[in-house]
Amino acid sequence: MGNRYAIVLAAGQGTRMKSKLYKVLHPVCGKPMVQHVVDQLNRVQLNELITVVGFGAEKVQDHLGEQSHYVIQEEQLGTGHAVLQTSDILADKQGTTLVVCGDTPLLTSETLQHLLDHHEKEGAKATILTAHAENPAGYGRVVRNSSGDVERIVEHKDATGEERSIQEINTGTYCFDNAFLFNALNSVSNDNVQGEYYLPDVIGILKQEQEKISAYQTPEFTESLGVNDRVALSQAEKMMKQRINEHHMKNGVTIVDPDNTYIAPDVEIGQDVTIHPGSMIDGVSVIQDDVTIGPHSTISNCDIGTGTEITQSVARDSQIGARVYIGPYAHIRPQVNVDDDAKIGNFVEVKKASVGKGSKVSHLSYIGDASIGSGVNLGCGTITVNYDGHNKHLTTVEDDAFIGCNSNLIAPVTVGKGAYVAAGSTINKDVPAEALSIARARQTNKEGYASKIKATKKD
Ligand code: UD1
Ligand code: CA
């Protein structure tokens, strides 16, 4: 295998998106379009990846960071002009150069690999990835001669009525012999309806120079969807969602209503997991076997252990152990670590806290900045009073402690191992291990007092 280079075209403003956000940063299934493209490119072996950026360049660079080299296209004069900006890095290199648009998020590495193999097998100077489109409007059309060889590409706006009836489209993905690409680019003009330097013109130029041009037609039109506006963005989202969901279903995940289940591309899910409708799993979450999620749950950047159930709840940036029960209506905020066999019940919010093995926080609690040991029972309405208006403080509840209902634990405070806190207590001093702490007003019963009250109310 010779040298391989890739250029991602991402400098267009994306005016048709009508957005403050740079076009290629719009997410599809939670991941920016350009990141989808770069991830797929990284699966084929490359010597170098260069992204052409323009308007909003810093944001793309901030996002992709070290994953790519960058060149700036100051003015967006067309896709050919964009490729020309990589001359300083690539023009004198020998090898194959892949060019991919940053707005084709559905393109897969398998198709890129097929394209490269085809290009190399044919010994072509340029190979276009084409597709058959039911509705080709907007795309460049592949014009072939009477023997079926590719002659050139004509842009929709420049095409004649007859050319517009061609259904084979240019997907905007190509393989070039690098030296021939840069030579031909110097001959590309902007004499067309849009006044732009078109990269596809390189095909016609090489053909006229009698060089070998080839086309590889992908059987999957969906892969070539170019996202120019928000209608196409929603179509890309739908297709990507379907692709991801089918991948998991084929791996042994039950998705009860795939149209209503949203899983990000980098989520890993084990076997015999069931996902109920209205659930979203995003970020880099890892879900182990036999987990049940939903209905209506959101899980973001979490690791979820085997056999855990999460119902109608939200969990973010946290670690949840095995056989844990969460919900309904629980909120697990970042930096939570729930150990195996624990329970986080309805209307419980947990933040920056660890909850030990087998511990229960079953109802109506706020547990923030806390270290809860194993075998602990936090009664209904237990609140960690973690914030004094300036700083957050830690609450520690050691193993096997029992906190009665409606208790306030004013941090910093520690309840020792095996201790009891009576219901309704407000605890602001440490409770020793095995002690019983009662911190509430004493109850006084005044016998027969009710009749006196009633007497004052007679008129
Ligand atoms: C382009 C192709 C068309 C193809 C279609 C596939 C050209 C002239 N046309 O059309 O044949 O069918 O893609 O989706 O190439 N960009 C730059 N700098 C520029 C202009 C564009 O970096 O000066 C980038 C854009 O950010 C985008 C990509 O190139 O990622 C394609 O540009 P876009 O304007 O979307 O081209 P299309 O009209 O879709
Ligand atoms: Ca496009």
Side-chain angles (χ1 to χ4, degrees):
M1 191 193 85
N3 292 328
R4 277 183 187 164
Y5 309 97
I7 302 171
V8 178
L9 302 183
Q13 303 210 2
T15 36
R16 290 166 279 182
M17 295 296 279
K18 305 215 166 94
S19 176
K20 290 185 283 301
L21 185 64
Y22 196 54
K23 172 161 93 168
V24 297
L25 290 178
H26 275 266
V28 170
C29 290
K31 187 195 271 196
M33 291 198 268
V34 69
Q35 183 69 63
H36 281 283
V37 171
V38 168
D39 284 351
Q40 297 302 320
L41 280 168
N42 278 331
R43 291 189 191 159
V44 298
Q45 278 190 317
L46 295 173
N47 297 64
E48 197 155 350
L49 175 82
I50 303 162
T51 304
V52 184
V53 287
F55 166 83
E58 351 40 72
K59 299 221 170 75
V60 178
Q61 291 190 31
D62 283 354
H63 182 83
L64 291 176
E66 308 269 289
Q67 301 176 71
S68 176
H69 290 106
Y70 303 93
V71 296
I72 308 265
Q73 185 193 21
E74 300 283 354
E75 267 187 290
Q76 280 66 61
L77 302 180
T79 48
H81 180 259
V83 172
L84 211 48
Q85 306 312 301
T86 67
S87 295
D88 284 353
I89 308 178
L90 287 183
D92 58 354
K93 297 268 195 324
Q94 297 296 317
T96 302
T97 299
L98 265 170
V99 180
V100 181
C101 296
D103 65 353
T104 50
L106 291 145
L107 192 67
T108 64
S109 59
E110 290 77 18
T111 296
L112 289 170
Q113 191 60 55
H114 288 145
L115 175 67
L116 278 162
D117 292 346
H118 184 91
H119 178 76
E120 282 165 12
K121 196 179 87 219
E122 294 281 305
K125 294 293 181 275
T127 306
I128 319 158
L129 180 70
T130 73
H132 176 87
E134 277 312 313
N135 174 13
Y139 290 95
R141 310 296 210 285
V142 178
V143 181
R144 291 179 183 259
N145 62 21
S146 50
S147 20
D149 297 330
V150 176
E151 283 279 311
R152 61 194 167 89
I153 295 169
V154 61
E155 288 306 299
H156 180 91
K157 288 186 179 152
D158 298 294
T160 61
E162 196 182 332
E163 286 164 342
R164 284 187 183 180
S165 66
I166 299 173
Q167 286 186 297
E168 187 180 14
I169 59 126
N170 168 27
T171 64
T173 306
Y174 324 75
C175 259
F176 294 102
D177 178 307
N178 191 65
F180 284 80
L181 167 64
F182 283 92
N183 264 331
L185 273 177
N186 290 319
S187 314
V188 170
S189 83
N190 64 352
D191 182 16
N192 52 52
V193 170
Q194 302 188 79
E196 287 185 5
Y197 296 89
Y198 294 159
L199 175 61
D201 282 1
V202 164
I203 302 296
I205 291 168
L206 288 175
K207 181 71 188 174
Q208 277 182 359
E209 291 171 355
Q210 317 287 319
E211 299 299 345
K212 179 156 187 181
I213 304 300
S214 188
Y216 173 74
Q217 183 164 344
T218 160
E220 277 285 325
F221 170 75
T222 50
E223 280 201 31
S224 43
L225 181 78
V227 175
N228 294 330
D229 60 24
R230 300 204 200 210
V231 175
L233 183 68
S234 77
Q235 288 161 348
E237 179 84 22
K238 193 171 176 186
M239 291 176 200
M240 182 72 79
K241 180 176 75 168
Q242 186 179 355
R243 184 190 285 173
I244 293 169
N245 287 350
E246 283 179 5
H247 161 80
H248 290 298
M249 290 188 276
K250 285 177 183 154
N251 278 346
V253 176
T254 295
I255 300 179
V256 176
D257 182 0
D259 288 340
N260 229 330
T261 303
Y262 305 83
I263 302 170
D266 298 325
V267 171
E268 288 173 35
I269 310 183
Q271 266 187 23
D272 290 314
V273 167
T274 300
I275 305 172
H276 292 284
S279 296
M280 295 186 82
I281 309 175
D282 63 31
V284 286
S285 299
V286 178
I287 317 291
Q288 305 287 353
D289 292 353
D290 304 318
V291 166
T292 303
I293 293 171
H296 305 293
S297 294
T298 301
I299 293 173
S300 182
N301 290 314
C302 289
D303 287 351
I304 314 283
T306 310
T308 285
E309 275 188 57
I310 302 181
T311 305
Q312 316 223 55
S313 293
V314 175
R316 292 187 197 285
D317 305 311
S318 291
Q319 312 285 318
I320 315 291
R323 300 173 302 278
V324 171
Y325 196 94
I326 294 180
Y329 315 117
H331 186 186
I332 310 292
R333 291 169 53 199
Q335 298 184 56
V336 169
N337 197 323
V338 181
D339 208 338
D340 299 347
D341 302 300
K343 180 176 180 199
I344 311 288
N346 39 204
F347 305 108
V348 173
E349 176 179 339
V350 189
K351 182 217 79 168
K352 204 176 178 187
S354 58
V355 177
K357 190 168 165 35
S359 290
K360 293 187 169 63
V361 197
S362 296
H363 339 260
L364 299 157
S365 285
Y366 171 63
I367 307 301
D369 302 284
S371 167
I372 311 296
S374 61
V376 167
N377 188 42
L378 299 182
C380 175
T382 299
I383 305 292
T384 55
V385 184
N386 60 330
Y387 186 47
D388 61 12
H390 293 284
N391 295 307
K392 304 279 166 71
H393 301 281
L394 182 73
T395 299
T396 302
V397 180
E398 293 179 354
D399 296 350
D400 304 315
F402 182 99
I403 312 294
C405 291
N406 232 30
S407 296
N408 299 309
L409 305 174
I410 302 183
V413 73
T414 296
V415 177
K417 189 171 182 335
Y420 282 79
V421 167
S425 292
T426 293
I427 300 295
N428 62 356
K429 290 196 283 287
D430 289 352
V431 179
E434 298 297 330
L436 164 65
S437 182
I438 309 173
R440 63 185 183 221
R442 257 177 201 283
Q443 181 171 335
T444 315
N445 289 342
K446 300 197 174 182
E447 293 286 345
Y449 204 85
S451 58
K452 287 192 186 167
I453 296 170
K454 286 172 191 157
T456 64
K457 291 194 173 148
K458 282 200 181 121
D459 36 39

